[in-house]
Amino acid sequence: MNYVSTRGEAPVLGFSDALLQGLASDGGLYLPREWPRLSPEDIRSLRGLPYSEAAFVLIKPFVNGEIADAALKRIIEESYATFRHEAVCPLVQTGPAEFVLELFHGPTLAFKDVAMQLLARLMDHVLAERGERVTIAGATSGDTGGAAIEAFAGAERADVFILFPHGRVSPVQQRQMTTSGAANVEAVAIEGNFDDCQALVKAMFNDHAFRDRVSLSGVNSINWARIMAQIVYYFTAAVSLGAPDRPVSFTVPTGNFGDILAGYAAKLMGLPTGRLIIATNENDILARALAGGDYATRSVIPTTSPSMDIQISSNFERLLFEASGRNAAEVRGYMESLRQSGSFLINGGTLSRICSEFAAGRASVDETAATIRATLEQSGYLADPHTATALKVARTHALPGETVVVLSTAHPAKFPEAVNEACGVTPSLPAWLKGLMEKEEVYTVLPSDLKMVEDHINRHTRAEG
Ligand SMILES: Cc1ncc(COP(=O)(O)O)c(C=O)c1O
Ligand SMILES: N[C@@H](CCOP(=O)(O)O)C(=O)O
């Protein structure tokens, strides 16, 4: 399996190179050249498998023999042994046709652990085989950063720099990034919002001299392996609800579009899927884009679901590539217009293909709080604000006879203030994270300035190209 860039001007790469590159050299995102397909019988054979065995079956074609089967199996097993729930990603029924897919049983209580635990081990394996080191730069609105710092802390071959928006992440999220004590990871608070952090990371990738000098690599969902890992739980959830003989729809709290893109990938691989429903908070650029075709950025509105306070949704580029019939020139046009004017108009055919697969809705902060309250009263289920955003959108857009899986992307204890304000209950951190809020924090504050951030990384990384 080879990987091609959405902008069509970067070298075609194998799995290991795409894993280490993160962003393609033309600024695009890597996707498999073709999608592996599972027959209904293949999908049926996933029934009853432990999560890591299903993951091996689904991930193996993407790795294409570049990692030996025994090593890949071990890496996958070790990744999911870090999860505190036997099922890894369990389903909980919250209504007659509504299920919550809990993705937060990993070490940092967010769905990012599902991919990041695997990504760190895959990278370590490939780097050890090649005798190389990398510098990882990542941007976070709160959860990717903690998951990356946890997964890479102490890694021999990677130095990690995570940029987060200063003052805009929850106190738990911040402590998860700033208290690891590991010498090879560093949290950098940027005076700006998440989009500024993400723009800095992309600019570092596009600064080829810097990129080569520090052997830059990425762990955001611009990295194909992040999406690959997330495809697995769409299959396991659907199979436990009767796939391939009964299609289910998924509602996904969405920011950078990585999670729901993994659902689309599962569909392209043959998983019979109903609707893929994008749920946004007030930062509703995706809902607006689907409604009228105009992808137009506005300023970021801080909400109670801060991890989704995003305007520039990186992985939407991967969807544009697929929906345009893999037309890299069309994608380049959109991205150039976004760079120049902060917006682009999606062409009619591409938009109608997107709308035939996706629906979208938004939930306000008040609607999210009301949903946390109502869900607790009606089904005894305590949802975090990101999950509640998706529950609200799922309920507003429900169709008769449709079974909906709502992705629960974070544990409510990551956002205790917002949850308490909504329903009067303060969720507490699980035992293994007790004491987190008392640990000493270490982080650097920098302006949103490419040169200053690159200088800082240059001085502190041990990797050399
Ligand atoms: C808790 C939570 N929910 C939802 C999202 C949105 O996911 P995605 O960026 O993959 O759309 C994020 C961040 O990415 C998150 O941290
Ligand atoms: N919500 C994310 C934003 C970064 O998204 P990613 O999936 O591209 O890493 C976060 O929590 O950091």
Side-chain angles (χ1 to χ4, degrees):
M1 172 77 65
N2 284 324
Y3 292 84
V4 295
S5 165
T6 48
R7 301 201 192 168
E9 294 180 331
V12 174
L13 298 181
F15 174 76
S16 305
D17 286 322
L19 170 75
L20 295 182
Q21 281 243 332
L23 196 69
S25 58
D26 58 1
L29 308 183
Y30 277 108
L31 273 172
R33 203 205 293 260
E34 66 276 329
W35 293 99
R37 292 280 305 178
L38 277 79
S39 67
E41 211 33 62
D42 295 334
I43 296 171
R44 264 180 222 111
S45 71
L46 298 172
R47 285 183 187 159
L49 288 187
Y51 188 88
S52 54
E53 284 184 33
F56 176 73
V57 171
L58 293 162
I59 287 172
K60 183 177 145 77
F62 292 112
V63 173
N64 197 26
E66 291 190 32
I67 297 176
D69 282 1
L72 182 62
K73 227 177 222 166
R74 176 183 48 74
I75 287 169
I76 292 173
E77 271 164 19
E78 286 174 6
S79 302
Y80 298 117
T82 63
F83 278 60
R84 264 56 176 203
H85 197 289
E86 210 184 342
V88 180
C89 300
L91 273 173
V92 178
Q93 188 159 12
T94 47
E98 181 187 274
F99 294 82
V100 168
L101 176 60
E102 291 187 342
L103 303 172
F104 55 69
H105 293 281
T108 68
L109 309 182
F111 80 104
K112 308 287 177 170
D113 291 322
V114 177
M116 206 63 82
Q117 288 294 316
L118 182 66
L119 185 67
R121 287 172 173 82
L122 288 171
M123 275 195 176
D124 194 56
H125 178 88
V126 172
L127 290 169
E129 281 202 329
R130 295 181 173 191
E132 291 174 5
R133 302 184 55 83
V134 285
T135 302
I136 290 170
T140 188
S141 53
D143 288 324
T144 292
I149 282 176
E150 204 283 338
F152 283 92
E156 293 284 317
R157 297 178 174 277
D159 289 337
V160 180
F161 297 85
I162 296 296
L163 315 187
F164 70 95
H166 196 18
R168 295 185 189 225
V169 300
S170 84
V172 173
Q173 289 176 317
Q174 178 160 325
R175 290 294 192 298
Q176 287 180 323
M177 291 189 274
T178 58
T179 63
S180 86
N184 69 318
V185 297
E186 188 184 334
V188 181
I190 296 292
E191 289 163 335
N193 58 34
F194 168 76
D195 289 320
D196 298 322
C197 298
Q198 180 158 256
L200 285 166
V201 169
K202 287 189 177 168
M204 283 185 249
F205 274 99
N206 290 326
D207 176 349
H208 289 242
F210 174 79
R211 177 181 184 151
D212 294 344
R213 187 163 59 248
V214 302
S215 296
L216 194 63
S217 189
V219 293
N220 279 107
S221 54
I222 53 173
N223 189 316
W224 160 252
R226 284 273 313 276
I227 310 295
M228 173 187 82
Q230 291 172 210
I231 290 170
V232 174
Y233 50 69
Y234 284 90
F235 274 94
T236 58
V239 163
S240 50
L241 293 173
D245 306 303
R246 175 191 182 207
V248 294
S249 295
F250 292 91
T251 306
V252 187
T254 298
N256 227 1
F257 208 79
D259 207 2
I260 197 158
L261 187 95
Y264 181 55
K267 192 169 187 180
L268 294 175
M269 290 168 69
L271 182 69
T273 305
R275 295 181 303 157
L276 291 163
I277 304 164
I278 301 163
T280 74
N281 62 23
E282 272 103 336
N283 297 288
D284 60 353
I285 184 164
L286 291 166
R288 286 184 284 114
L290 261 68
D294 192 5
Y295 185 99
T297 53
R298 294 180 180 164
S299 35
V300 175
I301 302 168
T303 71
T304 50
S305 47
S307 303
M308 303 193 315
D309 293 348
I310 294 176
Q311 289 289 317
I312 303 198
S313 205
S314 287
N315 283 286
F316 197 59
E317 178 168 344
R318 284 185 164 118
L319 177 62
L320 289 167
F321 182 64
E322 288 295 345
S324 64
R326 298 201 150 203
N327 184 338
E330 184 177 321
V331 173
R332 285 199 301 277
Y334 293 142
M335 294 305 134
E336 184 51 23
S337 167
L338 183 64
R339 194 182 66 75
Q340 284 184 14
S341 65
S343 69
F344 58 85
L345 202 56
I346 306 170
N347 120 3
T350 302
L351 182 63
S352 78
R353 277 187 291 277
I354 291 174
C355 292
S356 69
E357 306 280 358
F358 291 85
R362 89 201 268 276
S364 67
V365 164
D366 288 347
E367 288 169 329
T368 299
T371 304
I372 293 177
R373 215 162 34 245
T375 308
L376 185 63
E377 281 165 15
Q378 285 155 23
S379 52
Y381 191 82
L382 189 60
D384 100 288
H386 303 77
T387 309
T389 303
L391 282 165
K392 168 67 187 162
V393 170
R395 289 169 191 171
T396 307
H397 294 260
L399 295 177
E402 185 180 39
T403 299
V404 178
V405 173
V406 173
L407 272 58
S408 176
T409 48
H411 190 291
K414 288 195 99 164
F415 308 94
E417 291 84 5
V419 173
N420 179 282
E421 211 160 291
C423 68
V425 174
T426 305
S428 42
L429 287 170
W432 79 89
L433 285 174
K434 289 260 158 29
L436 176 73
M437 302 309 284
E438 283 76 52
K439 285 190 179 168
E440 194 194 336
E441 289 194 88
V442 180
Y443 63 98
T444 307
V445 182
L446 288 177
S448 178
D449 179 279
L450 180 62
K451 178 149 185 344
M452 291 182 77
V453 175
E454 286 187 346
D455 284 350
H456 180 83
I457 293 178
N458 251 327
R459 282 198 305 277
H460 292 90
T461 186
R462 291 168 295 173
E464 280 168 20

